[in-house]
Amino acid sequence: MIDPTEPEGPRPANQGRRVAARNRAALIAAAREVFAEQGLEAPLSAVARRAGVGQGSLYRHFADRVALASAVLDENVRQIEEAAAEPDASLASVLGVITWHLTRSTAFVDTLRIRGDDALAHALAGRVSGALSGCLPSGHRLSTGDVMLAVAMVSGAVTGPTVAVRERRALAAWSLLGVEVGPLRPVETAVEE
């Protein structure tokens, strides 16, 4: 006898972790965009919509706005660390990744301009500094501290209504400082399958 409450055919496989990892990555990418456009006080519903998930999914991954913003910042820094760990990493290539993030994330800009006792900002800036120090050639005219100061200075130039304008201003600032920057790019991240 057929039970009318049972669906016909085989049940779809539970894709739990795979879908969860994809949703988390989509939420972080969407949050980066929405926060860049509307600021950190943007409605979280806008982030969920941009990611193509429901608000319930957003709150399963991130308890609140601070957790989501922290995840975005951590992802930014993780990409910088990955760029520094690439076999052909150079100061210019890592600065290209940093600058890409600066032109797309106002929260990241604020993190690199540490003020006060913000432990998270200090920790993230320390990780960026560590990534830079690993690819700074021996005997370079700039120290890691100098490069971090230059990053903060360039972040002040990263203003404008569009990504293209912000990129032009950032590259002009690097040029004025006499620092070579590689292509502006994110580091592709793998989603766990």
Side-chain angles (χ1 to χ4, degrees):
M1 176 170 204
I2 297 175
D3 183 350
T5 62
E6 287 292 318
E8 286 186 33
R11 296 177 82 187
N14 182 343
Q15 297 182 3
R17 288 187 183 185
R18 185 177 357 191
V19 170
R22 269 196 310 254
N23 286 349
R24 186 177 195 286
L27 285 162
I28 290 171
R32 178 181 294 119
E33 293 170 5
V34 170
F35 290 160
E37 293 166 4
Q38 302 175 32
L40 286 173
E41 296 305 316
L44 294 183
S45 59
V47 173
R49 250 189 328 276
R50 177 85 50 100
V53 303
Q55 279 189 260
S57 182
L58 185 146
Y59 286 110
R60 271 192 296 283
H61 291 282
F62 306 104
D64 57 22
R65 179 180 311 279
V66 172
L68 179 57
S70 295
V72 171
L73 295 173
D74 186 68
E75 174 67 15
N76 292 349
V77 173
R78 192 180 61 67
Q79 285 191 26
I80 292 163
E81 290 169 331
E82 285 182 19
E86 291 173 342
D88 58 346
S90 66
L91 178 61
S93 68
V94 174
L95 288 176
V97 174
I98 290 173
T99 304
W100 185 90
H101 285 287
L102 288 175
T103 60
R104 285 156 177 84
S105 177
T106 55
F108 186 59
V109 168
D110 287 343
T111 297
L112 296 179
R113 292 190 210 148
I114 300 171
R115 297 178 198 96
D117 307 346
D118 187 338
L120 174 64
H122 280 281
L124 292 173
R127 288 171 55 196
V128 171
S129 180
L132 286 168
S133 70
C135 62
L136 195 61
S138 178
H140 194 278
R141 68 182 177 88
L142 300 174
S143 69
T144 303
D146 294 337
V147 176
M148 286 297 289
L149 177 59
V151 168
M153 292 167 64
V154 169
S155 73
V158 178
T159 60
T162 65
V163 169
V165 168
R166 293 189 297 269
E167 285 181 352
R168 274 196 308 276
R169 289 181 179 169
L171 291 173
W174 282 120
S175 178
L176 285 171
L177 294 172
V179 176
E180 179 187 347
V181 175
L184 304 190
R185 67 180 179 93
V187 172
E188 295 302 321
T189 57
V191 175
E192 295 174 15
E193 291 290 330

